[in-house]
Structures are given as C-alpha cells and as structure tokens.
Amino acid sequence: MTLSTMIGAWVAVFLTLSIFSYLYKDNPFYKIAEHVFVGVSAAYVAAISFWTQIYPNLLGRLFPKDGPLSFTGLEFDFNHSFNILYVFPLLLGLMMILSVFQKFNWMARWGIAYTVAIAAGLKAFGYLNSNVLNQVSASVISLFGENLPFFNISGDSVFNNIVLLLGTISSLMYFYFSKEQRGNFGKLTRVGIYFLMISFGASFGFAVMGRISLLVGRFRELIAYSEPSYNYSTIWLLILIVAFLFYHSLREKESNT
Amino acid sequence: MIRNLENLIIKVGDVDRRVIFVLIGLAVLIPLLTPVSLPIRETPTTVKFYEGIEEIPKGSKVLVSFDYGPSTRPEIHPMNVAVLRHMLRNEHKVYISCLWPDGIYMALDALEDISDEFSLKEYEDYVLLGYRPGAEAVIKGLASDLRKVYTVDANGKFIDDIKMMDNVKNLNDFAYIYSGSAGYPGTFEWVKYGGDPTGVRMSSGTTSVQVNEVIPYVRSGQLIGLLAGMPGAAEYEKLVESPGIAIKGMAAQSFAHIVIVVFIIFGNIAFFLKQKKERKYSK
C-alpha cells in the first residue's frame, strides 16, 4: 500500500468520525471537518471550472493558435477558430469578479441579469414541455382499457387508473382557491389532501431510506479502514476522538460549577 | 400493570435522541459485520429499466452520465457499476460525461472496478469525456453540438483525434442515455433538455430522496424504468447476476428501517398517552 493511500484513509476516517461526533454535540472536531469541507469544495470547484471550461472553451476561442490575437503571445490550442463573440462572456465574467470592490459592485448586476435571463428562458421551456405537456398527456388514459385487469398492485389496472384520475383531479382542486372549499367541492379537496399526505409520507420514507444508505456506505468504509493493513485507523481515531470529547465535557462541567 | 406499561412507553418516548442514534448505528453496523442474507424482490420499475437496456441493439453507442459525488456514492455508485457492466456485456460503446465536478472520480472508480472483468481499453470500449460546468446548458449543448461543449476529453486529448468519436455529433447519435443522478443537475435536466427534445430513449438511477419526484416520468414514458436508491441498485445487481455492495448493504438497511418504524410507533403511542395523562390531570 502506498503512503498516499494510507494518509488518504486516515484523513477520510478522521473527517467521517469528526462529522459523526456532532451527533453527540457541537465540538472542535466537527468544526474542523466542516471548515475543511467548505474550503476544499469551493477551491476544487473554482479550479476545475477554470481548467475544464474557461481555459479550453473561452480562452481557447479568444486566443486560438495562429489567431488574430496571437501577437499578444497568448495561444491556447484546442482546435478552435477565433470567435469574437466570446469577448462578451469574458467581459461579463470580469465584471462579476470586479464586484469584490465596493466601487464596482454595480458591475455584477449585468452578469447576474444575463445569467438569470438565460436560466429563466431555458427552464421555462423545459418545465412547460416535460413537466406540464408530457405529464398532462400521460394522465389522459383509457380507464377501462382493453383486457385490463380490475386490480393489479404493480402494473396497469382499472383500479390503478381510477386512483390516478381521482388523485390528479382532487389534488389539483385543492390548489384551486377561487372557490370556497365547502360542500361537495370541499369533500373533493379533502380527498386531495389525503393524496398529498400520502405523497409526503412516501417522500419522508424515501428520505429516511436514502440517509440510511449513506450511513451504510460510511460504515462500510470505516470497517474497511479498521483492518491491520490500514494500521487500525478507525479504532485509533475513534479512541482519540471519544477520549477528547470525554475530557472536553469534564472541563465544561468543571467550568460551569 | 397497565399503568406501569403506559409509564414505560412514555419514558421510551422521552428517550434522549443520542440513544436513538446509537441504536440505529448498531442496527446498521451489526449486519455489516455479520452478513445476513435477505431475499430481494425486483420492483416493476427496475425490471423495466433492465428490459430497456436489453432492448438496445448490440454494439450501440450509449451515453452514461455520472451526476453525483462522494456524498451520495453509497446509493448511486453500485447502480452505475452494474449499469456499466450490463452495457459492456452487451458490447455497447460507452461515452461518459459528468455534470458534477467530482463525478469524474466516481467514473474512474467505476471503470477501475470492472476494468479487469472486461479487459477495458480506453478509446475502444469507452471514452471519458469528463466534467463540464453549466448544468442544463451543458446538456443543451450536447443536444445541439457535442464538440462545442467537449473539445478535449478528460485526458486532454482532442475529440477529433478520437476514433470512437467519429460520427458522434450530438445526442441524436446515441441509442440510449443513462444518468446516475444525486440531484441538481441530474435526471430532471437530462429529461427536460436531453431525452424529451431529442427523443433519445433514456433512463436514470437516482437517490431515494428524488424517487417520488422522478417516478411520474416513468409512468409517462419519459424514462424507461428507474433504479430507486440502494434497493433499486440491489435489485439491478440481482438482475444482471453480479451481486455487489448494494445487495450486501440491504440487510443493514432493512434492520435500520425496523428500528426506525419501532421508534415511530412508540413515539406516537407515547405522544397520545402523554396527552391523555395531561388531560386527566388538568381536569
């Protein structure tokens, strides 16, 4: 095993146990892990965004090999030809960076406005097409389709189609606020609430399942790193952290009394 | 006797949350240390997913997107490894993209896991296109012109110099799109800007948290099946006959669920008993 693998394992175990220590209470180990995570994530995303996007796709197009700006001495060969339009994203990007100076912070608004406009346009089309039109057309079903069984819990059936129809209409009606939810209309919206509650319950169940899966993943790695080949890293670090937390809580108790 | 039982339940309801953490931790840890085999039954969405990949003509070009990072690796990684295994077994050519910055390391890990099994050769069996920032803008770019988004692959090699990239201009040149997704950007964006506009068949493996929101896409046919969290991965591992870490983790998952359900039941009973007691004393 290489030294870097060994160091990586010890760091991974230390950070995992430090984050788990928050389950006991807020403590210095948790704070260290939290700050390391935020710092490393920000730096990593900044670096990778530069090398995978700005460098080949922006600089590569403004300063291509043998391009009109090659007299500047800047040349980035990514098989691109010169494209003057890329000056605009460069300028907007620089304006956003300049906003760190209070005098120029108005400049960031142009870049943000451009980003918001593009995102709004892109998302409007996507939502309308995939989440509205396609979903509406998928809910148009033949209730008593050919050779459809009346009941089949896991496949298409008349019963499931009725549930789908009732659920869609009653849930939509619940969000119709131009009529007071009383009488028969109120009863229908109440059915809608039940459908929504079942949906929230399912979401909660799935969320719990997801969190447990992540816990399984972390435990599996902690078990792997507790082997002799990793110098029992999990066991040693667990003892260290528990001992420190115990000492820390004793000191706290003493200072309180 | 009944009063004692009621008091005991109320006490359990007031138990320190740290005791619950320890019990859930033990429920996960013990089955991992002493493996227990529980039966796994495939759900219709997983079977549909499997059949969807089986229907792709042999030797097709397939796009696999690694849209997750280390935080959700336990859920998505097993399914992505199984999907790669299934696709390579069917002799498909695999093109790997990443919408998450650390997705590239997940892809490298997955390729390493199956490298020996298939004697994988880069640029013959797969191309690792790598990560590009921009989320839905990247997918939109892939749908119109792949070379505008990727001029070089993850190794810095020119796309035009890669033989496997010949005749690959945009998403329409792929027979299938798969996204192993842990959130934004992921399945939703691939459906909206990749699958739906181009009509290319696609599917996804998602974290459990997303399942409720993604499942309508399966019913509408926008996704051909779905792998739902770690249970979905375990079911798929069973279908492709390559038991892996998802199957091994299912016992731990089931035991933890039992503990949580027991605490929910006790918590609710304790709540109602406490209310009853308070009402009695307030009279």
Short mmCIF file of all heavy atoms in Angstrom, two decimals, chain A residues 158-214:
data_model
loop_
_atom_site.label_atom_id
_atom_site.label_comp_id
_atom_site.label_asym_id
_atom_site.label_seq_id
_atom_site.Cartn_x
_atom_site.Cartn_y
_atom_site.Cartn_z
N VAL A 158 -57.56 -1.29 -13.92
CA VAL A 158 -58.68 -0.33 -13.87
C VAL A 158 -58.62 0.42 -12.54
O VAL A 158 -58.76 1.64 -12.50
CB VAL A 158 -60.03 -1.08 -14.02
CG1 VAL A 158 -61.19 -0.12 -13.84
CG2 VAL A 158 -60.10 -1.77 -15.38
N PHE A 159 -58.38 -0.32 -11.46
CA PHE A 159 -58.34 0.29 -10.13
C PHE A 159 -57.25 1.36 -10.06
O PHE A 159 -57.48 2.48 -9.59
CB PHE A 159 -58.09 -0.80 -9.08
CG PHE A 159 -58.00 -0.27 -7.68
CD1 PHE A 159 -59.14 0.07 -6.98
CD2 PHE A 159 -56.75 -0.09 -7.07
CE1 PHE A 159 -59.05 0.59 -5.69
CE2 PHE A 159 -56.66 0.43 -5.79
CZ PHE A 159 -57.82 0.76 -5.09
N ASN A 160 -56.06 1.01 -10.56
CA ASN A 160 -54.95 1.99 -10.53
C ASN A 160 -55.26 3.22 -11.37
O ASN A 160 -54.91 4.34 -11.01
CB ASN A 160 -53.66 1.34 -11.03
CG ASN A 160 -53.08 0.37 -10.02
OD1 ASN A 160 -53.63 0.22 -8.93
ND2 ASN A 160 -52.01 -0.29 -10.38
N ASN A 161 -55.94 3.00 -12.51
CA ASN A 161 -56.32 4.14 -13.36
C ASN A 161 -57.29 5.06 -12.65
O ASN A 161 -57.18 6.29 -12.74
CB ASN A 161 -56.95 3.64 -14.66
CG ASN A 161 -55.90 3.05 -15.60
OD1 ASN A 161 -54.71 3.20 -15.36
ND2 ASN A 161 -56.34 2.38 -16.65
N ILE A 162 -58.23 4.46 -11.90
CA ILE A 162 -59.21 5.28 -11.15
C ILE A 162 -58.49 6.07 -10.07
O ILE A 162 -58.74 7.26 -9.88
CB ILE A 162 -60.33 4.39 -10.54
CG1 ILE A 162 -61.17 3.80 -11.68
CG2 ILE A 162 -61.20 5.18 -9.58
CD1 ILE A 162 -62.14 2.71 -11.24
N VAL A 163 -57.55 5.41 -9.38
CA VAL A 163 -56.76 6.11 -8.33
C VAL A 163 -56.00 7.27 -8.95
O VAL A 163 -55.97 8.38 -8.40
CB VAL A 163 -55.79 5.13 -7.62
CG1 VAL A 163 -54.83 5.88 -6.71
CG2 VAL A 163 -56.56 4.11 -6.82
N LEU A 164 -55.40 7.04 -10.12
CA LEU A 164 -54.63 8.09 -10.81
C LEU A 164 -55.52 9.28 -11.16
O LEU A 164 -55.16 10.44 -10.90
CB LEU A 164 -53.99 7.50 -12.08
CG LEU A 164 -53.12 8.45 -12.87
CD1 LEU A 164 -51.77 8.63 -12.18
CD2 LEU A 164 -52.88 7.92 -14.28
N LEU A 165 -56.69 8.97 -11.70
CA LEU A 165 -57.63 10.03 -12.11
C LEU A 165 -58.10 10.82 -10.90
O LEU A 165 -58.04 12.06 -10.87
CB LEU A 165 -58.82 9.39 -12.83
CG LEU A 165 -59.90 10.37 -13.29
CD1 LEU A 165 -59.43 11.13 -14.52
CD2 LEU A 165 -61.19 9.63 -13.60
N LEU A 166 -58.53 10.08 -9.87
CA LEU A 166 -59.04 10.73 -8.66
C LEU A 166 -57.95 11.55 -7.98
O LEU A 166 -58.17 12.69 -7.57
CB LEU A 166 -59.58 9.65 -7.70
CG LEU A 166 -60.37 10.14 -6.49
CD1 LEU A 166 -61.64 10.82 -6.94
CD2 LEU A 166 -60.70 8.97 -5.57
N GLY A 167 -56.77 10.98 -7.90
CA GLY A 167 -55.64 11.68 -7.25
C GLY A 167 -55.27 12.94 -7.99
O GLY A 167 -55.06 14.00 -7.37
N THR A 168 -55.20 12.87 -9.31
CA THR A 168 -54.81 14.05 -10.10
C THR A 168 -55.84 15.16 -9.94
O THR A 168 -55.50 16.31 -9.63
CB THR A 168 -54.69 13.66 -11.59
OG1 THR A 168 -53.82 12.55 -11.70
CG2 THR A 168 -54.16 14.80 -12.42
N ILE A 169 -57.13 14.80 -10.12
CA ILE A 169 -58.17 15.84 -10.09
C ILE A 169 -58.32 16.43 -8.69
O ILE A 169 -58.33 17.64 -8.52
CB ILE A 169 -59.52 15.28 -10.60
CG1 ILE A 169 -59.38 15.02 -12.11
CG2 ILE A 169 -60.67 16.22 -10.33
CD1 ILE A 169 -60.55 14.32 -12.74
N SER A 170 -58.40 15.56 -7.67
CA SER A 170 -58.62 16.08 -6.31
C SER A 170 -57.43 16.90 -5.81
O SER A 170 -57.62 17.93 -5.16
CB SER A 170 -58.94 14.94 -5.34
OG SER A 170 -57.87 14.03 -5.30
N SER A 171 -56.21 16.48 -6.15
CA SER A 171 -55.03 17.26 -5.71
C SER A 171 -54.98 18.61 -6.41
O SER A 171 -54.65 19.62 -5.79
CB SER A 171 -53.74 16.49 -6.00
OG SER A 171 -53.75 15.27 -5.36
N LEU A 172 -55.32 18.61 -7.69
CA LEU A 172 -55.33 19.89 -8.41
C LEU A 172 -56.40 20.82 -7.85
O LEU A 172 -56.18 22.02 -7.69
CB LEU A 172 -55.58 19.66 -9.91
CG LEU A 172 -54.38 19.25 -10.75
CD1 LEU A 172 -54.81 18.92 -12.17
CD2 LEU A 172 -53.33 20.35 -10.78
N MET A 173 -57.57 20.23 -7.52
CA MET A 173 -58.67 21.04 -6.99
C MET A 173 -58.31 21.69 -5.65
O MET A 173 -58.77 22.77 -5.34
CB MET A 173 -59.94 20.17 -6.82
CG MET A 173 -60.64 19.84 -8.11
SD MET A 173 -61.19 21.31 -8.97
CE MET A 173 -60.23 21.30 -10.43
N TYR A 174 -57.46 20.99 -4.88
CA TYR A 174 -57.06 21.53 -3.58
C TYR A 174 -56.35 22.88 -3.77
O TYR A 174 -56.42 23.75 -2.91
CB TYR A 174 -56.15 20.54 -2.84
CG TYR A 174 -55.61 21.10 -1.56
CD1 TYR A 174 -56.44 21.33 -0.47
CD2 TYR A 174 -54.26 21.43 -1.44
CE1 TYR A 174 -55.96 21.88 0.70
CE2 TYR A 174 -53.76 21.98 -0.27
CZ TYR A 174 -54.60 22.20 0.80
OH TYR A 174 -54.12 22.76 1.95
N PHE A 175 -55.67 23.03 -4.89
CA PHE A 175 -54.93 24.28 -5.13
C PHE A 175 -55.75 25.30 -5.93
O PHE A 175 -55.21 26.26 -6.45
CB PHE A 175 -53.61 23.98 -5.85
CG PHE A 175 -52.64 23.23 -4.98
CD1 PHE A 175 -52.47 21.86 -5.12
CD2 PHE A 175 -51.94 23.88 -3.98
CE1 PHE A 175 -51.60 21.17 -4.30
CE2 PHE A 175 -51.07 23.19 -3.15
CZ PHE A 175 -50.91 21.83 -3.31
N TYR A 176 -57.04 25.04 -6.05
CA TYR A 176 -57.93 26.00 -6.72
C TYR A 176 -58.55 26.87 -5.64
O TYR A 176 -59.38 26.41 -4.85
CB TYR A 176 -59.01 25.25 -7.51
CG TYR A 176 -59.94 26.16 -8.27
CD1 TYR A 176 -59.52 26.79 -9.43
CD2 TYR A 176 -61.25 26.37 -7.83
CE1 TYR A 176 -60.38 27.63 -10.13
CE2 TYR A 176 -62.10 27.21 -8.51
CZ TYR A 176 -61.65 27.84 -9.66
OH TYR A 176 -62.50 28.68 -10.34
N PHE A 177 -58.12 28.12 -5.56
CA PHE A 177 -58.53 28.96 -4.43
C PHE A 177 -59.62 29.98 -4.76
O PHE A 177 -59.96 30.83 -3.95
CB PHE A 177 -57.31 29.69 -3.86
CG PHE A 177 -56.23 28.76 -3.38
CD1 PHE A 177 -54.99 28.73 -3.99
CD2 PHE A 177 -56.48 27.88 -2.34
CE1 PHE A 177 -54.01 27.86 -3.56
CE2 PHE A 177 -55.50 27.00 -1.90
CZ PHE A 177 -54.26 26.99 -2.51
N SER A 178 -60.17 29.92 -5.97
CA SER A 178 -61.18 30.90 -6.35
C SER A 178 -62.58 30.50 -5.88
O SER A 178 -63.53 31.22 -6.10
CB SER A 178 -61.19 31.10 -7.87
OG SER A 178 -59.94 31.58 -8.27
N LYS A 179 -62.70 29.33 -5.29
CA LYS A 179 -63.99 28.89 -4.76
C LYS A 179 -63.77 28.35 -3.35
O LYS A 179 -62.77 27.67 -3.11
CB LYS A 179 -64.54 27.78 -5.67
CG LYS A 179 -65.91 27.25 -5.28
CD LYS A 179 -66.37 26.27 -6.36
CE LYS A 179 -67.49 25.36 -5.88
NZ LYS A 179 -68.69 26.03 -5.45
N GLU A 180 -64.67 28.72 -2.46
CA GLU A 180 -64.53 28.28 -1.07
C GLU A 180 -64.64 26.76 -0.99
O GLU A 180 -65.51 26.16 -1.65
CB GLU A 180 -65.62 28.92 -0.22
CG GLU A 180 -65.24 28.98 1.23
CD GLU A 180 -66.27 29.71 2.07
OE1 GLU A 180 -67.19 30.32 1.47
OE2 GLU A 180 -66.16 29.65 3.29
N GLN A 181 -63.74 26.13 -0.21
CA GLN A 181 -63.69 24.67 -0.17
C GLN A 181 -64.73 24.12 0.81
O GLN A 181 -64.40 23.68 1.92
CB GLN A 181 -62.27 24.21 0.17
CG GLN A 181 -61.28 24.61 -0.91
CD GLN A 181 -59.88 24.11 -0.70
OE1 GLN A 181 -59.56 23.56 0.32
NE2 GLN A 181 -59.04 24.30 -1.71
N ARG A 182 -66.02 24.20 0.38
CA ARG A 182 -67.13 23.71 1.21
C ARG A 182 -68.03 22.81 0.37
O ARG A 182 -67.93 22.78 -0.85
CB ARG A 182 -67.95 24.89 1.75
CG ARG A 182 -67.14 25.73 2.74
CD ARG A 182 -67.87 26.99 3.08
NE ARG A 182 -69.03 26.76 3.93
CZ ARG A 182 -69.83 27.72 4.35
NH1 ARG A 182 -69.62 28.97 3.98
NH2 ARG A 182 -70.86 27.44 5.12
N GLY A 183 -68.92 22.07 1.04
CA GLY A 183 -69.87 21.21 0.34
C GLY A 183 -69.15 20.10 -0.42
O GLY A 183 -68.12 19.59 0.03
N ASN A 184 -69.70 19.74 -1.59
CA ASN A 184 -69.13 18.64 -2.38
C ASN A 184 -67.71 18.98 -2.84
O ASN A 184 -66.83 18.12 -2.89
CB ASN A 184 -70.01 18.35 -3.60
CG ASN A 184 -71.26 17.60 -3.19
OD1 ASN A 184 -71.28 16.93 -2.14
ND2 ASN A 184 -72.31 17.74 -3.98
N PHE A 185 -67.53 20.27 -3.19
CA PHE A 185 -66.18 20.70 -3.63
C PHE A 185 -65.19 20.53 -2.48
O PHE A 185 -64.06 20.07 -2.66
CB PHE A 185 -66.24 22.16 -4.09
CG PHE A 185 -64.92 22.67 -4.59
CD1 PHE A 185 -64.37 22.17 -5.76
CD2 PHE A 185 -64.21 23.65 -3.90
CE1 PHE A 185 -63.15 22.61 -6.22
CE2 PHE A 185 -62.98 24.11 -4.36
CZ PHE A 185 -62.45 23.59 -5.53
N GLY A 186 -65.64 20.85 -1.26
CA GLY A 186 -64.79 20.70 -0.08
C GLY A 186 -64.42 19.24 0.16
O GLY A 186 -63.28 18.93 0.53
N LYS A 187 -65.42 18.34 -0.08
CA LYS A 187 -65.14 16.90 0.11
C LYS A 187 -64.08 16.42 -0.88
O LYS A 187 -63.19 15.64 -0.54
CB LYS A 187 -66.43 16.09 -0.08
CG LYS A 187 -67.34 16.13 1.13
CD LYS A 187 -68.63 15.41 0.87
CE LYS A 187 -69.62 15.71 2.00
NZ LYS A 187 -71.00 15.42 1.62
N LEU A 188 -64.20 16.92 -2.12
CA LEU A 188 -63.23 16.52 -3.16
C LEU A 188 -61.82 17.02 -2.79
O LEU A 188 -60.83 16.27 -2.90
CB LEU A 188 -63.65 17.10 -4.52
CG LEU A 188 -62.75 16.73 -5.71
CD1 LEU A 188 -62.84 15.24 -6.00
CD2 LEU A 188 -63.16 17.51 -6.96
N THR A 189 -61.74 18.27 -2.31
CA THR A 189 -60.42 18.81 -1.96
C THR A 189 -59.84 18.07 -0.75
O THR A 189 -58.64 17.92 -0.62
CB THR A 189 -60.48 20.32 -1.65
OG1 THR A 189 -61.39 20.54 -0.60
CG2 THR A 189 -60.86 21.12 -2.88
N ARG A 190 -60.75 17.58 0.12
CA ARG A 190 -60.28 16.82 1.29
C ARG A 190 -59.62 15.51 0.82
O ARG A 190 -58.58 15.11 1.36
CB ARG A 190 -61.49 16.52 2.19
CG ARG A 190 -61.09 16.13 3.56
CD ARG A 190 -62.04 16.61 4.64
NE ARG A 190 -61.43 16.37 5.93
CZ ARG A 190 -60.56 17.18 6.52
NH1 ARG A 190 -60.21 18.30 5.91
NH2 ARG A 190 -60.04 16.90 7.70
N VAL A 191 -60.22 14.90 -0.19
CA VAL A 191 -59.61 13.70 -0.77
C VAL A 191 -58.23 14.06 -1.32
O VAL A 191 -57.26 13.31 -1.16
CB VAL A 191 -60.52 13.11 -1.89
CG1 VAL A 191 -59.83 11.96 -2.61
CG2 VAL A 191 -61.84 12.63 -1.30
N GLY A 192 -58.15 15.25 -1.94
CA GLY A 192 -56.87 15.74 -2.48
C GLY A 192 -55.82 15.86 -1.39
O GLY A 192 -54.66 15.48 -1.59
N ILE A 193 -56.26 16.36 -0.21
CA ILE A 193 -55.32 16.49 0.92
C ILE A 193 -54.77 15.11 1.30
O ILE A 193 -53.58 14.95 1.53
CB ILE A 193 -55.99 17.14 2.15
CG1 ILE A 193 -56.38 18.59 1.83
CG2 ILE A 193 -55.07 17.11 3.36
CD1 ILE A 193 -57.20 19.26 2.92
N TYR A 194 -55.67 14.09 1.32
CA TYR A 194 -55.21 12.75 1.68
C TYR A 194 -54.16 12.25 0.69
O TYR A 194 -53.16 11.66 1.08
CB TYR A 194 -56.39 11.77 1.77
CG TYR A 194 -57.31 12.05 2.94
CD1 TYR A 194 -58.69 12.07 2.79
CD2 TYR A 194 -56.78 12.33 4.20
CE1 TYR A 194 -59.53 12.36 3.86
CE2 TYR A 194 -57.61 12.61 5.27
CZ TYR A 194 -58.98 12.63 5.09
OH TYR A 194 -59.79 12.91 6.16
N PHE A 195 -54.40 12.49 -0.60
CA PHE A 195 -53.42 12.07 -1.60
C PHE A 195 -52.08 12.78 -1.37
O PHE A 195 -51.02 12.17 -1.45
CB PHE A 195 -53.93 12.37 -3.02
CG PHE A 195 -54.77 11.27 -3.59
CD1 PHE A 195 -56.15 11.35 -3.60
CD2 PHE A 195 -54.17 10.13 -4.13
CE1 PHE A 195 -56.93 10.33 -4.11
CE2 PHE A 195 -54.94 9.10 -4.64
CZ PHE A 195 -56.33 9.19 -4.63
N LEU A 196 -52.16 14.09 -1.08
CA LEU A 196 -50.92 14.85 -0.83
C LEU A 196 -50.20 14.32 0.40
O LEU A 196 -48.97 14.19 0.41
CB LEU A 196 -51.23 16.34 -0.66
CG LEU A 196 -51.70 17.07 -1.93
CD1 LEU A 196 -52.16 18.48 -1.60
CD2 LEU A 196 -50.58 17.13 -2.96
N MET A 197 -50.99 14.00 1.46
CA MET A 197 -50.38 13.48 2.70
C MET A 197 -49.65 12.17 2.42
O MET A 197 -48.55 11.94 2.92
CB MET A 197 -51.44 13.24 3.76
CG MET A 197 -52.19 14.47 4.15
SD MET A 197 -51.27 15.44 5.29
CE MET A 197 -52.19 15.16 6.74
N ILE A 198 -50.31 11.29 1.61
CA ILE A 198 -49.67 10.00 1.28
C ILE A 198 -48.36 10.26 0.53
O ILE A 198 -47.34 9.64 0.80
CB ILE A 198 -50.64 9.12 0.45
CG1 ILE A 198 -51.80 8.67 1.33
CG2 ILE A 198 -49.91 7.92 -0.15
CD1 ILE A 198 -52.96 8.05 0.57
N SER A 199 -48.41 11.25 -0.37
CA SER A 199 -47.21 11.59 -1.14
C SER A 199 -46.09 12.11 -0.22
O SER A 199 -44.93 11.73 -0.36
CB SER A 199 -47.58 12.64 -2.20
OG SER A 199 -46.45 13.28 -2.65
N PHE A 200 -46.46 12.97 0.76
CA PHE A 200 -45.45 13.48 1.69
C PHE A 200 -44.88 12.34 2.54
O PHE A 200 -43.69 12.30 2.83
CB PHE A 200 -46.04 14.55 2.63
CG PHE A 200 -46.52 15.78 1.90
CD1 PHE A 200 -47.59 16.52 2.38
CD2 PHE A 200 -45.91 16.19 0.71
CE1 PHE A 200 -48.04 17.65 1.71
CE2 PHE A 200 -46.37 17.31 0.04
CZ PHE A 200 -47.43 18.04 0.53
N GLY A 201 -45.77 11.41 2.93
CA GLY A 201 -45.32 10.25 3.72
C GLY A 201 -44.31 9.42 2.93
O GLY A 201 -43.28 9.01 3.47
N ALA A 202 -44.63 9.21 1.65
CA ALA A 202 -43.72 8.43 0.80
C ALA A 202 -42.38 9.17 0.67
O ALA A 202 -41.32 8.55 0.73
CB ALA A 202 -44.34 8.22 -0.58
N SER A 203 -42.45 10.49 0.52
CA SER A 203 -41.21 11.29 0.41
C SER A 203 -40.37 11.14 1.67
O SER A 203 -39.15 10.99 1.61
CB SER A 203 -41.52 12.77 0.20
OG SER A 203 -42.08 12.95 -1.05
N PHE A 204 -41.05 11.18 2.83
CA PHE A 204 -40.33 11.05 4.10
C PHE A 204 -39.67 9.67 4.19
O PHE A 204 -38.49 9.55 4.55
CB PHE A 204 -41.30 11.26 5.28
CG PHE A 204 -40.67 10.97 6.62
CD1 PHE A 204 -39.74 11.84 7.15
CD2 PHE A 204 -41.00 9.82 7.32
CE1 PHE A 204 -39.14 11.55 8.37
CE2 PHE A 204 -40.42 9.53 8.54
CZ PHE A 204 -39.49 10.40 9.06
N GLY A 205 -40.43 8.64 3.80
CA GLY A 205 -39.90 7.27 3.83
C GLY A 205 -38.68 7.15 2.94
O GLY A 205 -37.65 6.58 3.34
N PHE A 206 -38.77 7.71 1.73
CA PHE A 206 -37.64 7.64 0.79
C PHE A 206 -36.43 8.41 1.35
O PHE A 206 -35.29 7.99 1.19
CB PHE A 206 -38.03 8.22 -0.56
CG PHE A 206 -38.70 7.21 -1.47
CD1 PHE A 206 -39.96 7.46 -1.98
CD2 PHE A 206 -38.07 6.03 -1.81
CE1 PHE A 206 -40.59 6.53 -2.81
CE2 PHE A 206 -38.68 5.10 -2.63
CZ PHE A 206 -39.95 5.35 -3.14
N ALA A 207 -36.72 9.55 2.00
CA ALA A 207 -35.62 10.37 2.56
C ALA A 207 -34.89 9.58 3.65
O ALA A 207 -33.66 9.55 3.69
CB ALA A 207 -36.17 11.67 3.13
N VAL A 208 -35.67 8.89 4.51
CA VAL A 208 -35.06 8.08 5.57
C VAL A 208 -34.21 6.98 4.94
O VAL A 208 -33.06 6.74 5.34
CB VAL A 208 -36.15 7.47 6.49
CG1 VAL A 208 -35.57 6.42 7.42
CG2 VAL A 208 -36.82 8.56 7.31
N MET A 209 -34.78 6.33 3.91
CA MET A 209 -34.08 5.23 3.25
C MET A 209 -32.74 5.73 2.67
O MET A 209 -31.71 5.07 2.80
CB MET A 209 -34.96 4.69 2.12
CG MET A 209 -34.48 3.40 1.54
SD MET A 209 -35.81 2.61 0.63
CE MET A 209 -35.69 3.44 -0.92
N GLY A 210 -32.79 6.92 2.07
CA GLY A 210 -31.58 7.50 1.48
C GLY A 210 -30.51 7.75 2.53
O GLY A 210 -29.33 7.43 2.33
N ARG A 211 -30.93 8.32 3.66
CA ARG A 211 -29.95 8.65 4.71
C ARG A 211 -29.32 7.37 5.27
O ARG A 211 -28.13 7.32 5.57
CB ARG A 211 -30.60 9.45 5.85
CG ARG A 211 -31.22 10.75 5.42
CD ARG A 211 -30.24 11.65 4.68
NE ARG A 211 -30.92 12.79 4.09
CZ ARG A 211 -30.72 13.22 2.86
NH1 ARG A 211 -29.88 12.58 2.06
NH2 ARG A 211 -31.35 14.28 2.39
N ILE A 212 -30.15 6.33 5.44
CA ILE A 212 -29.61 5.07 5.96
C ILE A 212 -28.61 4.48 4.96
O ILE A 212 -27.56 3.95 5.35
CB ILE A 212 -30.75 4.07 6.28
CG1 ILE A 212 -31.66 4.62 7.39
CG2 ILE A 212 -30.20 2.70 6.69
CD1 ILE A 212 -31.02 4.81 8.73
N SER A 213 -28.91 4.59 3.67
CA SER A 213 -27.99 4.08 2.64
C SER A 213 -26.64 4.77 2.76
O SER A 213 -25.58 4.13 2.63
CB SER A 213 -28.54 4.35 1.24
OG SER A 213 -29.77 3.76 1.08
N LEU A 214 -26.67 6.08 3.00
CA LEU A 214 -25.41 6.82 3.13
C LEU A 214 -24.65 6.37 4.38
O LEU A 214 -23.43 6.24 4.37
CB LEU A 214 -25.67 8.33 3.19
CG LEU A 214 -26.44 8.93 2.00
CD1 LEU A 214 -26.54 10.43 2.12
CD2 LEU A 214 -25.78 8.56 0.68
#
